[in-house]
Amino acid sequence: FRVDTESLLRVQWVGCPEKANEEYVITEITDAIVTHPKAKEIHFELGPSLVYYGGALGLIENAVTTILIKNSSFSCSDITLKGDFLKEVSTEEIKAYKFLAKCNFSK
């Protein structure tokens, strides 16, 4: 996790998580937000290796959902997803997810 400014929190997802680590990953992200209460924007930088994780979109959706539930000051418009992983994901796949579909994307 990296804070570029007081208002911007960058979450870099590098590597391919194991299925058993999903809850840990989400907890780490939400803890980082609590640690940086002035953050108003979150950028997920998604590495290309996430493509090898079959549940990557579901994991990202769970993280976004948890952020929105635990931090009512955030909305989907405050979350941007970008990175090489998105080159391998179609718009149709993203539309299947309630909150991901409403986030900002930068391919």
Side-chain angles (χ1 to χ4, degrees):
F1 305 100
R2 186 173 85 218
V3 179
D4 286 351
T5 66
E6 284 189 356
S7 63
L8 176 60
L9 176 65
R10 289 191 190 274
V11 178
Q12 293 180 315
W13 290 26
V14 181
C16 185
E18 294 179 22
K19 192 74 168 164
N21 291 344
E22 281 192 18
E23 189 174 319
Y24 172 77
V25 170
I26 293 170
T27 300
E28 286 292 309
I29 292 168
T30 55
D31 287 352
I33 293 167
V34 170
T35 305
H36 301 94
K38 293 183 180 181
K40 302 292 181 222
E41 239 183 299
I42 301 170
H43 286 192
F44 286 106
E45 296 178 358
L46 308 170
S49 56
L50 275 175
V51 76
Y52 299 111
Y53 184 67
L57 285 175
L59 175 60
I60 299 165
E61 171 77 359
N62 289 341
V64 169
T65 302
T66 302
I67 289 167
L68 297 174
I69 289 170
K70 290 189 173 190
N71 302 283
S72 60
S73 62
F74 282 103
S75 69
C76 291
S77 63
D78 300 320
I79 300 171
T80 300
L81 298 113
K82 58 186 178 177
D84 290 336
F85 167 74
L86 294 173
K87 293 177 183 176
E88 304 297 325
V89 177
S90 73
T91 305
E92 292 304 313
E93 289 175 282
I94 292 169
K95 285 182 182 178
Y97 293 91
K98 180 178 179 179
F99 295 112
L100 279 184
K102 297 176 186 175
C103 292
N104 302 306
F105 289 88
S106 176
K107 290 189 178 187

